[in-house]
Amino acid sequence: MSWADKHGIATRLTLGDDNPERLPLVLCGPILRRTEPDSVTVWVALKKPRNVTLRCYSQAPPPFEGLREELRGTRKSVRLGQNLHVVAVTAEPVDADRPLTPGTVYFYNLFFSVSDETPVPETEEHLNSPNIFSLAGAPTSADDLLPTGLSYSDKHKLPGFSLPPDELNKLRIINGSCRQPHATGLDALPALDEIIKLDASKPDDRPHLLLLTGDQIYADDVAPGLLFVLMEADEALLGWNERDRLPDVPPERLDELDPGHRKQLVRKTAGFTTEDPESHLVTLGEYYSMYLFTWSDVLWPIQFPEFNDLEDDSLKHRKFNTERKKLLAYRKAIPQVRRVLANVPTYMMVDDHDITDDWNMLRDWCEQIYKRPLGRRVVQNGLLAYAIFQAWGNTPDSFAPGTPGDDLLASARAWSAAQAVNPNIDQRIARLVGVPGTLSSGGEFSAFFIEDESGSLQLATAGSLTWHYTIKGPKFEIIVTDSRTQRGYSKTDKYAPADHLGTNALEEQVPLDNVDPNKLMIIVSTNNIFTLPSFNADTVYGHNFIWAWWYFVFRIGTDFLLPLLQAIHIAPQFTHYNPDKNESWVPQTPGFESLLSRLARRAASDDGIRKSRILLLTGDVHFSWASRMQYWADHPFQAPTSDAQPVEAIIAQLGSSPFKKEETFADKFHSWGYIPMTDSLPGPIRWFGWNNPGSLIIAPQDLNRMVDWAQMKIRLQNHKPPMLALIDVPDASTNLPRPDWRYRLDFILGEGIPNGSSPSQLGKPGPTDAEGWMDVASGAQRRHREYAQK
């Protein structure tokens, strides 16, 4: 008997309710999503179709006891497969004059009904019912902590949340990205479970927002053992198999879809450039299943496959077993992660690994992949899964009845019913999720780009859903940008680094709204905006380092050696598809300067000056770091004359990554600093820009004002916008005119735990002193909390 026959999902779907290996109704979730005073959305995946009702409650005011219903909403689940049904249900106030308010802990429950009646009566099945959520006998670590594994409340036994407070200093945001099950390092999300547990009853102290800024799943770098399980889940959940009907994959090549054997199909047939193609996700069911396994332990088998279960001697035994141990450790902590996601309003954004590594990185990538049927299908599968599992909860209004999002949900249902063989549905899904290209009568795809106002190219995605969105709070505004599907590409150089937001996209995603200067602007970007100095040596290191030996080595390598290797085709992938270099915003480029200009101009005028406080939250780089920019402008870059009002801005960037994907090189940045082979950060970096390049004349006596005079000639002649790195601001004694805009960038070191913060030792009671041991346990918990808070 095979492993699937013993432990697979198909077998577990047929088990009776009294069997500990049965599957409950709720396969994944509930995940608390967009949460506002007048609406709350919860996402959940089920094994059977249901009408799902969401009810939100507050503690009833005295003299009443118990819970008072505040919001209610019902929605029918969407059938993604025979045994997979998903819904994001939104509740609205039962009394329009009584919206939710800050300073209160609210609770919610989900009710499941097979009928079309709304609202669902209280007697129907809900989260605390048998066989709905909890798995009796399953080897989980959190189910024993509280009654359902979802609640922090002993009294109400329901998940809960609180709205962002009116005071900005009390706002609690958790931000991070990049979570890979078999990666090195611990999973950080379970630590958030501990944080919430400490302050769950305190509405202003518990986390108010969880921002997952990219790479919620890793579609390209999947452990073969996990892919083996995902492939079995794919067919069991959907009731059909896409593998034997993929474009450009004939029957004689189906064995190339086995775990660890997908390199040829992924690299050659699909055209992807990922460094980890061997077990890349391909089918729609695999993408669906990856989300279910990432966020929930329900579908994880009681007995995870051993090496021999795969019956493939070509895989590396030692590596397989190492990854298996990491996967089992990851699975053990998932119950805590489920409780976190159920109790904090969670917002997400797509990045490359959610689809494939290098996704939309360069124009060359887009031209190569979107003309290939298999490449298009895999991207489409990834985007459809993203829309249903992530985007639906970000902007539930975009998926309401009669919207393009609702059309996409209907198309996903129809696509499953047609078992992936209806070309009309195929093309409709491609258009709605934003896969560019027009199909000719000859079966060729073309017209992947449109030209924007600046003359650069953007992907032709007219008629598709948009992924960016805004979150507004009492004292803040968060713009979550989509820097993957709306990039700006060069018309002349297909390998040129793309602007992460094209001209049209920047105007749409960062509107000039005259934001209250007292509000904090928060910009979420999946990629670093203020990039590491290591990746842009000639533009950011500063005058203290231009004579260092490593600086010359770096310049020789980047200016001469790498172009030579590229010319003789030895290093094309490194030069063109190096994400460490290309996946951050490039400083002093039109796209970078346009972003800064628009951010600074968003604030309303205050005494004739637009003043802003801006926080950038970024991820992607697999370590955390901080930087700060001070920005001034009399005539901001590309601002029309009518808007040439002075601006001042303080912009802080906090890069936070990964949740789980520790890189072995990351510690070098902490031991060396951010400059190779030194033990410190670079000094302040000052840049000055002008709108009119013709007015800049460099006199000999001005050369000593420049940070790196060797670069200035090419900067002025060939660079747009014209910018100089100067020691200080030009004055009347120089031939340089006063700059139109300028900024100073500082890299900031983190602070360690203060000296003397270690918790003191506790006494040891006698073996029969029960009361003494209780005092020790209480004291240990209190001191650990004080230590952790420091």
Side-chain angles (χ1 to χ4, degrees):
M1 183 179 291
S2 69
W3 175 90
D5 292 332
K6 292 180 180 178
H7 308 289
I9 292 172
T11 299
R12 297 168 67 194
L13 284 166
T14 64
L15 298 175
D17 289 344
D18 58 344
N19 192 305
E21 293 194 31
R22 78 198 183 286
L23 293 180
L25 176 67
V26 176
L27 301 179
C28 185
I31 300 178
L32 181 61
R33 300 305 312 276
R34 192 173 190 95
T35 302
E36 298 173 306
D38 58 354
S39 68
V40 172
T41 298
V42 173
W43 180 97
V44 65
L46 312 171
K47 73 174 181 181
K48 295 180 180 180
R50 290 290 186 271
N51 288 321
V52 181
T53 293
L54 168 64
R55 285 175 165 167
C56 299
Y57 309 95
S58 65
Q59 178 67 48
F64 303 102
E65 295 184 0
L67 297 174
R68 180 176 70 178
E69 186 176 19
E70 302 288 356
L71 292 87
R72 179 193 304 158
T74 298
R75 186 156 186 178
K76 192 172 186 177
S77 60
V78 175
R79 186 183 190 274
L80 301 182
Q82 179 178 330
N83 298 299
L84 178 60
H85 307 263
V86 172
V87 64
V89 55
T90 299
E92 297 178 344
V94 296
D95 183 348
D97 296 328
R98 201 172 70 223
L100 305 185
T101 59
T104 299
V105 176
Y106 295 97
F107 302 92
Y108 70 87
N109 203 346
L110 295 176
F111 298 84
F112 308 94
S113 174
V114 296
S115 73
D116 290 332
E117 296 177 5
T118 56
V120 176
E122 291 280 2
T123 56
E124 292 290 331
E125 295 177 325
H126 54 84
L127 282 176
N128 289 337
S129 302
N131 303 327
I132 299 299
F133 173 80
S134 59
L135 268 176
T140 58
S141 60
D143 279 348
D144 296 333
L145 298 179
L146 287 170
T148 69
L150 287 177
S151 178
Y152 295 96
S153 169
D154 288 313
K155 180 178 181 181
H156 300 301
K157 302 179 182 180
L158 292 173
F161 62 91
S162 61
L163 295 180
D166 291 326
E167 295 183 44
L168 187 61
N169 284 338
K170 293 183 178 180
L171 178 63
R172 303 289 183 260
I173 296 177
I174 306 298
N175 170 64
S177 68
C178 307
R179 189 161 170 264
Q180 185 183 43
H182 72 281
T184 300
L186 298 176
D187 190 351
L189 272 184
L192 180 53
D193 179 62
E194 301 294 333
I195 293 172
I196 300 172
K197 186 165 58 175
L198 288 173
D199 295 313
S201 62
K202 303 173 183 177
D204 288 346
D205 292 343
R206 61 184 289 159
H208 304 109
L209 298 170
L210 172 60
L211 304 178
L212 305 180
T213 55
D215 299 341
Q216 275 61 263
I217 65 170
Y218 273 72
D220 52 305
D221 187 2
V222 183
L226 180 56
L227 180 59
F228 177 77
V229 177
L230 296 178
M231 292 172 68
E232 191 273 335
D234 174 356
E235 186 168 1
L237 294 173
L238 269 59
W240 54 277
N241 197 328
E242 188 185 3
R243 288 192 290 276
D244 58 2
R245 60 204 68 184
L246 288 167
D248 289 345
V249 184
E252 62 270 17
R253 297 187 64 188
L254 288 180
D255 59 342
E256 295 181 33
L257 287 168
D258 291 344
H261 295 274
R262 297 187 172 188
K263 182 175 182 179
Q264 185 75 10
L265 282 175
V266 170
R267 282 276 185 85
K268 301 298 182 182
T269 308
F272 291 158
T273 56
T274 174
E275 295 179 349
D276 302 288
E278 292 81 6
S279 294
H280 198 297
L281 302 183
V282 172
T283 70
L284 181 60
E286 290 170 1
Y287 274 95
Y288 287 164
S289 298
M290 190 65 176
Y291 281 106
L292 298 174
F293 276 71
T294 298
W295 293 336
S296 173
D297 60 334
V298 171
L299 295 179
W300 285 71
I302 302 299
Q303 180 61 45
F304 197 80
E306 303 278 357
F307 180 80
N308 292 333
D309 291 322
L310 272 67
E311 299 180 354
D312 187 346
D313 294 334
S314 66
L315 298 175
K316 295 181 179 179
H317 191 278
R318 179 178 296 180
K319 182 179 180 182
F320 181 93
N321 287 336
T322 299
E323 291 175 342
R324 186 178 185 274
K325 290 179 181 178
K326 293 177 180 178
L327 289 169
L328 292 177
Y330 175 90
R331 176 257 192 91
K332 185 177 181 180
I334 291 179
Q336 290 179 275
V337 175
R338 291 189 75 185
R339 184 158 66 167
V340 166
L341 296 177
N343 285 271
V344 183
T346 303
Y347 299 83
M348 310 177 187
M349 178 47 67
V350 66
D351 200 15
D352 56 345
H353 291 287
D354 294 292
I355 311 298
T356 181
D357 195 13
D358 300 338
W359 178 45
N360 290 346
M361 180 189 288
L362 303 175
R363 178 164 68 87
D364 172 71
W365 192 97
C366 301
E367 291 174 346
Q368 294 300 318
I369 275 65
Y370 291 128
K371 69 181 181 182
R372 300 169 185 250
L374 183 60
R376 293 176 61 84
R377 173 64 65 84
V378 176
V379 171
Q380 177 177 313
N381 285 341
L383 278 171
L384 179 56
Y386 165 76
I388 295 172
F389 284 73
Q390 296 192 53
W392 192 355
N394 293 331
T395 56
D397 287 348
S398 299
F399 293 80
T403 63
D406 188 47
D407 187 13
L408 179 63
L409 296 176
S411 299
R413 182 170 55 247
W415 184 242
S416 180
Q419 299 189 6
V421 292
N422 188 314
N424 293 328
I425 302 174
D426 186 15
Q427 292 179 40
R428 185 161 72 244
I429 292 175
R431 174 180 59 81
L432 288 169
V433 300
V435 178
T438 302
L439 181 63
S440 69
S441 58
E444 300 292 331
F445 288 97
S446 61
F448 303 124
F449 303 97
I450 59 172
E451 188 171 338
D452 63 24
E453 296 177 357
S454 67
S456 64
L457 301 177
Q458 286 187 226
L459 290 173
T461 57
S464 68
L465 280 80
T466 55
W467 310 129
H468 62 276
Y469 56 94
T470 301
I471 309 166
K472 294 187 177 181
K475 297 295 183 181
F476 66 90
E477 179 184 83
I478 302 176
I479 294 178
V480 183
T481 61
D482 168 18
S483 59
R484 274 290 168 186
T485 71
Q486 299 190 42
R487 295 188 166 194
Y489 301 99
S490 169
K491 290 176 61 177
T492 58
D493 184 358
K494 64 181 181 180
Y495 296 118
D499 289 332
H500 292 273
L501 292 176
T503 301
N504 295 347
L506 182 60
E507 293 177 359
E508 180 180 357
Q509 296 191 35
V510 187
L512 302 177
D513 285 344
N514 287 320
V515 177
D516 183 348
N518 295 315
K519 275 196 170 185
L520 176 65
M521 298 184 205
I522 302 176
I523 309 297
V524 176
S525 172
T526 58
N527 308 103
N528 279 286
I529 295 176
F530 302 155
T531 187
L532 291 175
S534 313
F535 299 152
N536 292 273
D538 58 332
T539 62
V540 299
Y541 278 142
H543 67 287
N544 291 331
F545 306 105
I546 63 173
W547 301 115
W549 67 267
W550 57 263
Y551 180 81
F552 286 99
V553 172
F554 187 95
R555 290 291 300 276
I556 291 172
T558 56
D559 293 352
F560 300 103
L561 183 58
L562 284 180
L564 176 62
L565 295 176
Q566 175 186 345
I568 59 179
H569 304 289
I570 291 180
Q573 290 295 320
F574 177 79
T575 54
H576 297 324
Y577 292 100
N578 175 17
D580 293 332
K581 182 174 179 62
N582 291 332
E583 291 297 52
S584 296
W585 288 68
V586 181
Q588 293 83 55
T589 59
F592 180 82
E593 301 303 326
S594 295
L595 175 65
L596 297 182
S597 173
R598 289 189 71 84
L599 291 178
R601 288 186 285 133
R602 296 194 73 237
S605 177
D606 182 13
D607 296 330
I609 302 176
R610 299 184 188 274
K611 298 180 180 180
S612 305
R613 294 176 299 163
I614 303 166
L615 173 63
L616 308 178
L617 298 178
T618 66
D620 185 64
V621 293
H622 299 175
F623 53 91
S624 300
W625 66 301
S627 52
R628 180 190 62 193
M629 175 180 284
Q630 299 172 75
Y631 185 94
W632 306 266
D634 295 326
H635 303 281
F637 179 62
Q638 292 186 340
T641 304
S642 59
D643 195 28
Q645 192 173 36
V647 300
E648 297 178 2
I650 300 294
I651 309 174
Q653 175 175 288
L654 301 177
S656 182
S657 174
F659 276 120
K660 189 181 190 300
K661 199 178 190 306
E662 214 170 284
E663 300 287 2
T664 54
F665 71 83
D667 65 312
K668 302 305 180 186
F669 285 104
H670 298 283
S671 59
W672 290 351
Y674 289 96
I675 303 174
M677 308 308 293
T678 70
D679 58 359
S680 65
L681 295 173
I685 300 157
R686 300 174 178 86
W687 277 94
F688 300 76
W690 291 264
N691 284 305
N692 183 6
S695 64
L696 293 175
I697 301 174
I698 308 300
Q701 63 268 29
D702 291 328
L703 287 177
N704 62 356
R705 306 178 61 84
M706 300 177 191
V707 171
D708 187 358
W709 53 265
Q711 289 291 300
M712 290 309 103
K713 184 176 181 180
I714 191 170
R715 281 273 162 192
L716 293 179
Q717 290 180 350
N718 302 322
H719 191 268
K720 295 181 181 180
M723 299 189 71
L724 299 176
L726 303 176
I727 306 301
D728 53 24
V729 183
D731 53 35
S733 66
T734 73
N735 291 313
L736 291 171
R738 181 178 176 83
D740 291 316
W741 75 92
R742 57 192 171 96
Y743 49 80
R744 165 180 167 158
L745 183 60
D746 294 87
F747 300 97
I748 301 172
L749 281 173
E751 296 181 0
I753 298 174
N755 292 331
S757 295
S758 299
S760 58
Q761 295 294 318
L762 293 165
K764 184 177 180 180
T768 60
D769 186 0
E771 185 175 349
W773 279 110
M774 291 298 295
D775 291 340
V776 168
S778 175
Q781 183 182 32
R782 182 180 64 254
R783 296 184 186 194
H784 176 76
R785 178 178 179 178
E786 293 172 353
Y787 175 69
Q789 287 178 337
K790 289 180 181 179

